[in-house]
Each structure stands twice: as C-alpha cells, then as structure tokens.
Amino acid sequence: MGYVGLREDDYAWITTQLVKVANACCGGRIVSVLEGGYKIQGRVVSAFGRSVAAHVGALCSGVTEKWDTGRERVSASTGLINMHCRVRAGMPGGAHA
C-alpha cells in the first residue's frame, strides 16, 4: 500500500497488536480514522480496499488478549523486521503492489 510497502496482512497484524495495547491500557478503546486521498484503483479490490478490510477485520476480531511487554516485544520486533525485509527485497505485495 502506497510507498510504505505494507500488505494487508501487515495491517491486520499491526492492528491486532494495537488492540492488545488498548486492552492493556485503555479498556480496549481505539479510534481509527482514514485520512483520504488514496489511490483506490486496482484489481477487483484495490490494495487500499484490502488493507482497510484487514484493519477493520482485526478491529472486529474480538481479541481480548492484553499486550505483554516481555513476550510481545520479540513478536513485534520480528514482525517489523519481516515487513522491512520484504520491502527491501522488493517482494510481491510491497511498495508497488
């Protein structure tokens, strides 16, 4: 999506992590806002549409776990490193999908 190089599964993962943080610190409350101005053209469903669906799906998934700083730090670092490696390697689904 855009030039950030994230795919819809990345948005779902990030959103799930944010839900866990929200569960731990603010009763699970999250405000999600789309800023607009996106390119929405694409295949049957654009990259933007797929990413929004993944984000909203993760918000509505019913995750009740709370962020565990000891355990999640490793998971978060690994997830971000994997996303970065895909972008750097120019893998499908990256910045130009």
Side-chain angles (χ1 to χ4, degrees):
M1 169 116 172
Y3 292 102
V4 178
L6 300 180
R7 300 182 309 199
E8 51 269 17
D9 57 331
D10 298 324
Y11 283 96
W13 178 82
I14 290 169
T15 302
T16 299
Q17 303 313 305
L18 290 172
V19 169
K20 289 179 183 180
V21 171
N23 289 342
C25 68
C26 57
R29 294 173 297 203
I30 293 179
V31 174
S32 178
V33 178
L34 294 175
E35 66 181 75
Y38 296 98
K39 176 182 174 193
I40 59 172
Q41 293 76 28
R43 294 180 278 172
V44 175
V45 178
S46 68
F48 172 71
R50 292 189 311 271
S51 297
V52 169
H55 171 69
V56 172
L59 285 174
C60 298
S61 68
V63 172
T64 58
E65 295 174 69
K66 293 183 178 179
W67 178 267
D68 176 347
T69 57
R71 182 184 55 166
E72 302 289 357
R73 187 172 295 139
V74 173
S75 174
S77 297
T78 301
L80 292 173
I81 289 168
N82 288 339
M83 282 186 266
H84 177 72
C85 289
R86 277 200 314 270
V87 171
R88 298 280 294 169
M91 293 179 69
H96 302 290

